[in-house]
């Protein structure tokens, strides 16, 4: 592969152990690893999610399967590992260097020098970082029967996904003087494989030719041309929007992003469902595709797959007045949880977590969880642990009940109750983070006598969620958190102003929903903007180009379910301003998603068996 004008090798995920060889190929006269040595490596690493590690190389004993020596990196650190042993037994020692510069998607050359109890790391011929470890590198580390693995630790997990240009094991002390000083320190050369050498047109003193063209290009100007086999691998430059596109298959794929602006919204598909749909969830499964799960009021909910530019029926699942779906992953496992509102035919009340079966390419039941008129699931991760929070709406006629936070147990591979939180007619949970802090906010809708009550925001402290702030809400049905630059906002959808002590009027559904903004100085959310809504049930935040939008699900104005839902555009000091009015009928839920063909919105109706997919036309 070539990046920034420089060639490197990329390992195949299909054959992660292809680059391996017995240690005896190098250590044919002596089985002992040298006591003093240097490792020189030039690489370009990808961005990694937190807590993920990838191996640059390892030496593994075949019998037993033990790591003798290895070099791996995480988003901010480089780890050198080796096996130590004495009369008390054997253990693994790790020497860790902070190396945040590795994650900048640039080439870097590292020299790790090991000498007795000293470990030194030099990056791009800079100043070395020295560590005097409590445990020295062993003088008698035997590699008899061991095997070298390049870019892995003999397993698929931890496979190196970046590019490597050189990897040299050099006996003796620090090899830095053999590379440095160097004109291009990040590409300092000790030994480069021939296949990676000889880049054409790259004289070091000619910066113009530093990054040569790698292929012949044909570029078409003007209005959008067809994208067929004739145009395959050709570029089209849209001069009016200043965008560069590449023809792949039958689609023009953006290479250099054009500045998009939302012009108008048009109907793309009427998605007919088996009954009214109370919630929708759009999600993607790697190598399987894009899906939408519809939570239907009657006994069958459905999953649809994006096929040929539209959603097509894919799988039906038996549910009990499903309210919502929640997609989440734990490692490579893909889950989908449904919130059931009513008990089954036997009077049992529970919601179900389904797991994606890679062999059947279908979701299959994984765990049943006792719930009480469940409205919503929220999945999140805190400090490397996975949680699921259920919004229990009521038990019988009692709306003041506990909602439950479940925690994933890696040993049992099940979710187990971890914390209960008192809620009142809970409708929705929303999780978000601000810096190092994790928050969970609940939408309380009804306490048995009134919809005028407080919804609560909780913060994670000392292993549990604790109350952080209360908001006065009116039949709160949804929270939506979003960021604009460094600013953090929290929007609540108020659905109904009702109290048993007062008469219900038609205008009790036409009330303000509120957007709050985090005031870091005051350490609380403060009211930013009120927006008139008609029994709002959902907010959805999305962006088009450099513009930010909020769309509200208006469901009922006191007289009719035929009310317009509104798209609001962020206009800075003015806040959110209405820009598009969308005819909807009993609108319940909005979801935004993107495909290679463009940007879309989909909404579900709680009053008719039809959802609609809308396409955002941009110019």
């Amino acid at each position: 592969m070539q990046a920034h004008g420089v060639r490197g090798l990329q390992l195949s995920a299909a054959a992660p152990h292809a680059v391996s060889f017995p240690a005896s190929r190098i250590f044919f006269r002596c089985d002992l690893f040298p006591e003093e040595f240097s490792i020189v490596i030039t690489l370009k690493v990808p961005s990694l999610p937190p807590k993920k590690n990838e191996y640059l190389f390892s030496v593994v004993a075949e019998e037993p399967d033990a790591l003798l020596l290895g070099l791996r990196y995480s988003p901010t650190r480089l780890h050198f590992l080796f096996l130590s042993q004495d009369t008390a037994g054997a253990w693994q020692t790790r020497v860790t260097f902070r190396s945040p510069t590795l994650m900048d998607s640039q080439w870097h050359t590292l020299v790790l020098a090991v000498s007795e109890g000293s470990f030194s790391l030099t990056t791009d011929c800079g100043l070395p970082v020295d560590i005097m470890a409590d445990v020295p590198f062993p003088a008698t580390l035997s590699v008899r029967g061991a095997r070298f693995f390049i870019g892995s630790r003999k397993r698929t997990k931890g496979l190196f996904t970046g590019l490597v240009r050189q990897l040299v094991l050099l006996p003796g002390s620090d090899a830095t003087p053999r590379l440095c000083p160097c004109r291009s320190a990040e590409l300092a050369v000790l030994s480069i494989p021939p296949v990676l050498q000889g880049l054409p047109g790259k004289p070091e003193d000619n910066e113009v030719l530093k990054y040569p063209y790698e292929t012949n290009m044909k570029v078409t100007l003007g209005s959008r041309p067809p994208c067929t086999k004739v145009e395959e691998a050709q570029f089209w430059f849209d001069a009016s929007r200043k965008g560069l596109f590449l023809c792949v298959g039958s689609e023009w794929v953006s290479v250099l992003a054009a500045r998009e602006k939302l012009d108008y919204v048009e109907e793309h598909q009427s998605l007919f469902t088996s009954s009214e749909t109370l919630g929708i969830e759009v999600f993607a499964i790697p190598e399987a595709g894009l899906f939408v799960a519809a939570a239907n009021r009657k006994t069958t909910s459905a999953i649809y797959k994006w096929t040929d530019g539209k959603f097509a029926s894919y799988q039906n699942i038996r549910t009990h007045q499903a309210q919502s779906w929640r997609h989440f992953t734990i490692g490579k496992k893909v889950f989908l949880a449904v919130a059931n509102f009513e008990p089954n035919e036997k009077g049992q009340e529970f919601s179900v977590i389904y797991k994606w079966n890679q062999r059947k390419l279908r979701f299959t039941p994984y765990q049943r969880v006792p719930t009480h008129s469940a409205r919503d699931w929220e999945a999140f991760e805190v400090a490397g642990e996975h949680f699921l929070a259920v919004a229990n709406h009521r038990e019988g006629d009692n709306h003041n009940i506990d909602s439950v936070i479940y925690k994933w147990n890696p040993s049992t591979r099940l979710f187990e109750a971890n914390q209960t939180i008192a809620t009142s007619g809970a409708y929705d949970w929303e999780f978000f983070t601000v810096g190092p802090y994790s928050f969970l906010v609940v939408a309380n809708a009804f306490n048995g006598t009134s919809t005028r009550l407080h919804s609560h925001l909780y913060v994670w402290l000392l292993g549990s969620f604790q109350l952080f702030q209360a908001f006065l809400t009116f039949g709160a049905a949804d929270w939506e958190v979003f960021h604009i630059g460094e600013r953090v906002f929290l929007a609540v959808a108020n659905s109904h102003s009702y109290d048993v002590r007062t008469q219900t009027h038609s205008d009790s559904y036409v009330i303000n929903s509120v957007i709050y903004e985090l005031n870091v100085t005051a350490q609380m959310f403060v009211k930013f903007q009120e927006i008139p809504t008609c029994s709002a049930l959902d907010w959805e935040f999305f962006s088009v180009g450099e513009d930010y939008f909020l769309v509200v699900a208006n469901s009922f104005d006191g007289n009719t379910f035929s009310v317009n839902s509104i798209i609001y555009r962020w206009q800075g000091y003015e806040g959110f301003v209405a820009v598009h009015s969308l005819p909807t009928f009993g609108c319940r839920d909005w979801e935004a998603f993107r495909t290679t063909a463009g940007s879309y919105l989909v909404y579900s109706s709680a009053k008719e068996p039809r959802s609609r997919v809308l396409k955002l036309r941009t110019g």
Side-chain angles (χ1 to χ4, degrees), residues 141-167:
L141 179 62
S142 174
V143 293
R144 176 177 293 181
R147 193 173 186 87
F148 276 80
F149 290 88
I150 308 303
S152 76
R153 189 252 182 266
K154 193 181 177 180
R155 305 164 181 160
T156 303
K157 182 179 179 182
L159 176 70
F160 178 58
T161 58
L163 301 180
V164 60
R165 181 162 167 82
Q166 73 176 337
L167 177 58

Side-chain angles (χ1 to χ4, degrees), residues 98-120:
R98 289 188 60 83
S99 187
T101 56
L102 271 184
M103 306 303 293
D104 60 4
S105 297
Q106 302 295 319
W107 287 98
H108 293 288
T109 295
L110 312 178
V111 180
L112 174 67
V114 177
S115 177
E116 297 182 356
S118 173
F119 301 84
S120 175

Side-chain angles (χ1 to χ4, degrees), residues 554-574:
N554 284 328
S555 65
F556 184 60
D557 65 2
N559 297 305
T560 178
F561 295 103
S562 295
V563 291
N564 290 338
S565 292
I566 309 295
I567 296 179
Y568 300 86
R569 183 176 64 212
W570 170 252
Q571 294 189 184
Y573 183 73
E574 299 174 75

Side-chain angles (χ1 to χ4, degrees), residues 414-430:
L414 294 173
F415 282 97
E416 300 171 354
N418 184 71
Q419 182 181 359
T420 59
I421 295 180
T423 54
S424 298
Y427 228 97
D428 177 64
W429 282 109
E430 182 82 356

Side-chain angles (χ1 to χ4, degrees), residues 275-303:
S275 65
E276 301 89 336
T277 301
L278 300 172
I280 46 178
E281 177 85 339
V282 179
F283 58 94
I285 299 176
E287 301 179 4
L290 180 71
F291 299 86
V292 61
N296 294 335
R297 185 179 63 83
K298 292 187 179 177
T299 55
T300 301
S301 292
I303 298 172

Side-chain angles (χ1 to χ4, degrees), residues 253-271:
V253 178
S254 175
V255 177
L256 179 65
R259 177 174 168 79
E260 285 186 307
K261 293 189 70 177
L262 177 59
D263 282 345
Y264 60 92
V265 182
E266 65 179 8
E267 184 165 345
H268 180 75
Q269 179 186 4
S270 283
L271 185 62

Side-chain angles (χ1 to χ4, degrees), residues 76-95:
T76 58
R77 289 171 170 79
L78 187 75
H79 307 282
F80 176 60
L81 308 101
F82 57 89
L83 188 71
S84 300
Q85 55 187 3
D86 57 17
T87 55
W91 69 93
Q92 190 180 93
T93 298
R94 180 174 66 188
V95 180

Side-chain angles (χ1 to χ4, degrees), residues 392-393 399-401 422-427 443-448 453-454:
N392 285 326
H393 188 68
H399 290 79
N400 300 303
I401 60 172
T423 54
S424 298
Y427 228 97
N444 286 324
F446 187 57
N447 62 9
L453 68 161
H454 285 92

